[in-house]
Amino acid sequence: MKIWIAVLPLLAGFLLDLLLGDPYWLPHPVRLIGQGIAGLERVLRKRLPGRERMAGILLAAVILALSTAIPALVLFLCYRICVWLGVAVESVFCYYLLAARCLAKESGKVYRAAVAGDVEGARRAVSMIVGRDTAPLDMHGIVKAAVETVAENTSDGVTAPMFYIMLLGAGGGFFYKAANTMDSMIGYKNEKYLDFGRFAAKLDDVLNFIPSRLTALLMILSAWLLRYDGRNAYKIWRRDRFNHASPNSAQTEAVCAGALDVMLAGDAYYFGQLCKKKTIGDDIRPIEPNDIRRANRLMYCTSVLMLAIAAAFRVIVYGILL
C-alpha cells in the first residue's frame, strides 16, 4: 500500500481534472501565482529603475521560492498528521496543476463558434487562450491559432507538470508551474520585457527541454493509436521541430501539424507588431474547425500515455527506496 500512496495523488489529480476542469469560482493557486508576479513586478520596477535584468532575476527567485515552499510545507504538515490527509491534499494540488479539461473546454468554445460561422465569437474565444493579437485573424487564422495552442499546451499545461510531479511530487509541479506562468506573463521579447523577463524565459526553456521532447514522442505514438497520419507526424517533427524562436514550442506543434496534415505557425501580430515566423507542416489540406477536436483527442491520448509513464516510474522508484 505504501508504494501506491506514491502514485495515488497524480492519478486522483488527473481524474479530478477530467471530471471537473477548473471552475472559475474556485480559488486557484496558479491565479494567485499570476497575481503575485504582477504585483511584484510593479514593486520591483519602482524600487530598481534601470536595473531590469536584476529585477527580473529577483522576481523569479521570490516567486519560485514561495510557489514551491508553501505547498511543500503544507504537504509536509499534512503527511505528518495523517498519511491519507497528505494523499488527499496532494491529490488536490495535482488537480490544480493539470489543465487538460480546461484546454479542451476553452478550445471547444472556439470550435463551436467556428462551426456556427460566428467569426466574432470565435475571435473572442481564441483571444482567451493565445498571446497573439486576434483582431487581424480571419476564421482560418482563428482555427489555426486554436490548434497551435492545444498542441503547445499539451506539454506546458499537462505533460510537463506531470513530468515534474513524477520526479518531485506536487512541490516540483508548482515549481514548474510558477516558472511557466512567469514566462507567459513576462517572457516576451519586446521593449518592455526583453531584459526584465529574460531570466524567466530562459528558465522556462531549460525546464521544458526534456518534457517537450518526451511529449512530442508520445504524441507521435498517439497519432498512430488514433489512426491519424503517424508517419507524417514523425516526418514533420524531424523536419520542423526547431521552426520556432523557442527551442521547445515547435516540438509538439510539428507533431500535431504532421498528424493532421495541415500547416501551422507562420507570421503573427503581437502587441500591434508583425512577427515573422516560420511555418510548421505542409499545406496538404486546408485547416478546418474539426481539427480543434482532433488536436484535443491527440492531447488526451498523449496525456494518458504520460500518466502511465509517470505512475510506473513512481511505483518503481518508491518500490526500490522502500
Side-chain angles (χ1 to χ4, degrees), residues 182-236:
M182 283 191 295
D183 179 63
S184 68
M185 292 180 66
I186 65 172
Y188 296 102
K189 293 181 178 179
N190 56 25
E191 185 177 352
K192 182 178 181 181
Y193 288 115
L194 184 60
D195 288 327
F196 189 88
R198 184 187 296 271
F199 180 81
K202 294 299 183 182
L203 177 63
D204 186 71
D205 286 344
V206 171
L207 292 178
N208 278 300
F209 189 87
I210 294 175
S212 64
R213 286 152 179 78
L214 176 57
T215 303
L217 295 175
L218 294 177
M219 192 177 281
I220 292 169
L221 177 57
S222 296
W224 286 100
L225 293 174
L226 294 170
R227 298 187 178 181
Y228 293 170
D229 195 341
R231 186 184 300 276
N232 197 45
Y234 178 74
K235 170 191 168 184
I236 299 301

Side-chain angles (χ1 to χ4, degrees), residues 66-129:
L66 291 176
S67 300
T68 307
I70 292 173
L73 179 60
V74 170
L75 286 175
F76 174 77
L77 293 175
C78 288
Y79 274 109
R80 285 295 298 269
I81 294 169
C82 173
V83 169
W84 292 110
L85 176 61
V87 169
V89 173
E90 190 167 11
S91 297
V92 173
F93 282 175
C94 290
Y95 158 59
Y96 279 133
L97 290 165
L98 304 176
R101 174 70 181 272
C102 183
L103 183 57
K105 179 181 177 181
E106 294 301 318
S107 61
K109 293 177 182 178
V110 183
Y111 165 76
R112 288 188 292 275
V115 168
D118 181 3
V119 178
E120 287 304 316
R123 186 177 289 119
R124 283 194 301 272
V126 83
S127 71
M128 303 302 293
I129 57 174

Side-chain angles (χ1 to χ4, degrees), residues 242-307:
F242 296 118
N243 285 9
H244 199 283
S246 162
N248 305 314
S249 295
Q251 298 286 330
T252 49
E253 286 188 39
V255 177
C256 187
L260 302 183
D261 294 326
V262 298
M263 181 179 287
L264 299 177
D267 298 349
Y269 282 88
Y270 294 87
F271 303 103
Q273 295 185 341
L274 177 64
C275 179
K276 305 294 288 185
K277 300 169 67 175
K278 294 179 180 180
T279 58
I280 297 173
D282 295 324
D283 195 12
I284 297 173
R285 63 172 182 82
I287 199 164
E288 60 185 21
N290 260 328
D291 287 317
I292 298 174
R293 300 183 72 182
R294 295 183 184 109
N296 275 307
R297 293 189 194 104
L298 202 56
M299 178 269 293
Y300 274 124
C301 188
T302 303
S303 301
V304 170
L305 292 176
M306 184 64 206
L307 179 68

Side-chain angles (χ1 to χ4, degrees), residues 13-59:
F14 185 75
L15 181 60
L16 285 171
D17 178 61
L18 291 184
L19 294 174
L20 303 177
D22 292 327
Y24 298 118
W25 56 266
L26 192 65
H28 200 294
V30 177
R31 285 197 287 271
L32 292 177
I33 291 171
Q35 292 167 10
I37 293 168
L40 190 54
E41 178 187 352
R42 289 192 295 269
V43 171
L44 290 173
R45 285 188 182 276
K46 290 180 181 179
R47 297 286 185 179
L48 297 172
R51 305 175 70 181
E52 293 196 346
R53 188 170 298 185
M54 178 179 291
I57 294 173
L58 183 57
L59 180 145

